[in-house]
Structure formats: structure tokens, C-alpha cells
Amino acid sequence: MLEFLQVGSRLLAAGEEAGHATDEHASEHSTSTTHAVEGDHKGDHGAHGLSFAGVGVYLAIVLALIFGWTVSMRKGLNGRYFTKWTTQWTEHMYVFIENMAVGIIGARGRRYMPFLVTLWLVIFFGNIVSLFFPSSVTGDLSFNLAMALIVVGYVQWEGIRQNGLFGHIAHFAGPKLPLVLAVLITPMIFVVELLSETMKNVSLSLRLYGNIDGGHKAVVAMNDLGKHIANIGGFDVNVPIGMFLMPIKLLTCIVQAMIFTLLFCVYVSMVTHDEHHGDDHGHDHGHGEPAHA
Amino acid sequence: MSQETQKSGGAPTIVLIVIGVVLMLGGANVSANPPAFLAFQKDLEAQGIPLDLGKTVAAIGVFLILFPVIKTFFLKPLQEAIDQRTQSLESTFADAENLRTEMAQMKSDYEKRITQTEEDARNQIQSQIKEAQDLRTQMVSEANARVEEMQRKAREEMESERNKVLAEVRLHVADLSLQATEKLLNENVDNDRNRRLIDEFIATAEVPGR
């Protein structure tokens, strides 16, 4: 574990150096007040996130892990029974995502499997990387915002494809109301819906960023508590108390990947629900985001 | 499953990759040299929100490349393997079902054959019993006929013997009567006439019950 951390720190430092070389603003950030929050943790980037090169390095690690997993998984595909554990786990993951998509969206949910599986893999492996390295791509708000923009954009595209442009826009106007009420309420609903759609980007990206980056900060803070806890024979004894958070962080890795993909399914089902449930339901499903972790 | 997923369609892979590369390069450029309208990023960062839209744009580009790559190299072989295995299992289950149906059919045929065999055996036994009964009846009737024939022959022989004995007795009695009469009368009467008289006498003097 320590070796991983050290390697991660070195990689991150390399990424940071590269980022700082290309980013003249980075030097300004280094003197900012937020940087002071970092303390003496080289891997902890405080509030100013990873540099462009840092994200690139972590993304390369994530993609390498996905590539390695893919190679290992594909070796186990020959045969009637999947005996290789990576293949078995991948199948479990695939079936889980497929059941989730079909359960929420319906049979059409299978057509989103490439999108869902890609998101799942990147988020899951990104979160796993954050367990062993000082940060990860999913611990970067900008990267998470990219995923959120892709999700929301794809949902809008699906809504337009299913309902037509005007049908999709009308979807934001809420239920059909009598003329007087429609004049008064429909514009408000429309604005609220637009805001809601915009906020989906914020909620998706901030949720993942907060969980991963916050989890990392919690581990670092708890490790700080265990620093110099005793001095035996002139040697400082450091207790990595933050390690006790690892099981929870591991759970977070899976839960956050699941939530991200689950919300995509919910959003898609909301913009295409008329196909399945008819107009009787109208807009009873609501357009707000369900409460999640 | 695979076909359903393949229907997702969307832009051609090459277009996605090209757009992805352009976005990556553009994002890197924006991140390195943020335009003036992105100056709010500094304010956000000062407030603890580290946002770099250049990274965001580049990450979108990465995902545009990653989607077809994952679909081709990760999902497609997995789906094919799962589909193949599912088909194999379905085929196995279908074979098992066919075998079960075949076994049920064979069992039914076997039971029918057993029933038929039992029926045939029963019919054959009944037929044999009937044949035996007919044979017995025929043998009894033949035996009866033979007994009757033997009785008839015996009766005829007895009748013949009786008649023969009676004739002899009659003749003997007639001779005795003649001799007795001859002795009594000492007279040799016409033999033929006496004999006729004796015969008539004997005929009227036959033993009752014959």
C-alpha cells in the first residue's frame, strides 16, 4: 500500500510538474489561500484540483487498468463456463447493469449498455485508483463535470429522438393545465425544469467529486491524527488511522459508480417514459432527482 | 441482447474519434491558455471549487473515443460469449426437453405394448380355453357316440344270440315234444304236419316280456 502511495505521489508530482510547465496559472494557485489547506501532503491538492497533466496521468492509470482487466476478462471468455474470476466478475457487473437498465428504462435499456458500461468502468476504476493513489480522475470536479455533461446531453438527445424537439421541450412545460393556469404556472414550471436539468450536471459531478475527494481528505485528516503518536527510541510512531476508512471507501467505489449509472437510467426513463406508461401518468413521475447518497 | 445493444446506433465510430481528438486538443489548449470569459474559474477556485473547463472539454473528448473502444473491445466479445453460452444452455435444455419427451413417448409406447401384450395373452388364453372346451366337448360326444355304437352293436349281438338260442331252444323243444308225443302216442304221424302244429304252439307259448 505504501509503495502504491509513493508511486502515486511520484506520478502525481510528475503530472503536476508537467501541468505547471504548461499552465502559468498554476504558479498563482500555489500561493493561493486554498493551497495552504493542503498542509504537508504532496498528494493532497486541496481545493485547486488536479492539473491537466495530472488528470492525464490518472486517466492513463485508469485506462491501463481497464485495458488490463479487459485483456484478462477476454481470456476467460473461451468456453461454456467462465472460470476466470475477472470474467465472472465482469459478467456479474454486466448482468447487474443490464438488470438495472431494463428494470428502470424497460427492454430498450439494453441499447444504452455500451454507454452505461463505459461510465461504470471509468468511475469504478477511477474510484479504485483513489484508494491507492493520492487522487484520481473521479476526485477531480472538472472530469466529473465532463461525465455529467455527457450524461445530461445524451439524455436530452434521447429525449429529442424519442419525442421530437418540440415534444421534448413541451416535456419541460409540465402537465396540461387550463388556459389561465397555464399562462401563470407553465412558464414557471418550464424555468424550474430547465434549472433542474442544469442542476443535474452540478449534482452528478459534485456528488462524485465530494465522495471521492472528501473521502480522501477524511483519510488524510485521520492519518494526521495518528502522526507522531509516540516516540520509541528516538523513532516517531505513526499510526495510519485513516486506513480504517478503507472498507467504507471501497463501498463508496461501487456505490458511486452504481448511483451515476442508475441516475442516467432514471433520467432516460423520465424523458422517454410516455412510450412505456402512456399519457395516463402524465408528469406524475416528477422531474426532480430522486434522493441518493 | 447483442442486437438490442447494436441498435444504439449513433454517430459512426470514426466521427466520434475525430471529434474526441479535436475536443482533447481543444481542451488542452483551453486549459493551458484559458480565454478571458473563463476568468470566473479563478473565483470559483478561490471559493474552493476547482473547476477547469479545459479539462472538462478534453475529458468529453476522451469519452467520445472511449465509448466505441469499450463497445468494440470490451462489450462485444462479452456479449457474444454470454449470448453463445445462453444459446448453448438453451440448446442443452431443449435437448433435455426433447429427450424427456422422447422418454415419455417411449414409456407410453412401452405401457401400450405391455397392455397390448396382456390383452393378447388374455385373448390367447381365452382362445385356448375355448378350444380345449370345444375339444373336450367333441371328445365327449365322440366317446358317447362310440359307446352308443358299441352298445348298439352289443345289443344287436345279444339280440342275434338270443334269437339264435331261442331258435335252437325252440327246435330242441320241438324235437323233445315230438319225441315225447311219439312216445305217448306211439304213432308216427305226418312229421311235417306235426312240426307245423308244434311251431304254432311254441309261437303262442313264448316267454312273456320279450
Side-chain angles (χ1 to χ4, degrees), chain B residues 172-185:
Chain B
H172 190 63
V173 168
D175 288 343
L176 286 176
S177 297
L178 283 175
Q179 287 175 7
T181 305
E182 224 175 54
K183 282 179 182 177
L184 284 172
L185 295 179

Side-chain angles (χ1 to χ4, degrees), chain B residues 148-210:
Chain B
E148 284 177 1
E149 179 67 20
M150 288 171 70
Q151 283 178 344
R152 189 182 58 80
K153 281 182 180 176
R155 253 193 313 269
E156 284 177 0
E157 285 179 4
M158 284 171 65
E159 185 72 18
S160 172
E161 287 296 318
R162 192 173 65 92
N163 289 340
K164 191 176 168 184
V165 168
L166 277 176
E168 287 177 358
V169 167
R170 200 178 289 158
L171 189 60
H172 190 63
V173 168
D175 288 343
L176 286 176
S177 297
L178 283 175
Q179 287 175 7
T181 305
E182 224 175 54
K183 282 179 182 177
L184 284 172
L185 295 179
N186 278 327
E187 189 179 6
N188 191 10
V189 292
D190 187 1
N191 202 26
D192 290 337
R193 187 170 171 259
N194 291 338
R195 187 170 296 272
R196 188 175 65 247
L197 287 172
I198 291 167
D199 285 341
E200 286 175 3
F201 170 75
I202 291 169
T204 55
E206 279 188 355
V207 181
R210 285 196 50 209

Side-chain angles (χ1 to χ4, degrees), chain B residues 97-144:
Chain B
E97 187 65 25
N98 289 339
L99 280 173
R100 201 166 68 89
T101 309
E102 198 175 334
M103 279 178 61
Q105 183 65 36
M106 286 173 69
K107 187 183 173 189
S108 172
D109 291 347
Y110 178 68
E111 286 172 350
K112 279 181 186 172
R113 281 174 60 190
I114 286 177
T115 309
Q116 186 63 39
T117 305
E118 286 175 353
E119 182 72 22
D120 290 348
R122 211 163 22 242
N123 289 339
Q124 204 163 357
I125 289 168
Q126 292 297 329
S127 169
Q128 293 292 326
I129 290 171
K130 190 171 180 299
E131 194 175 339
Q133 285 175 343
D134 290 346
L135 187 60
R136 184 176 67 94
T137 307
Q138 186 184 352
M139 288 173 70
V140 167
S141 64
E142 283 177 4
N144 286 337

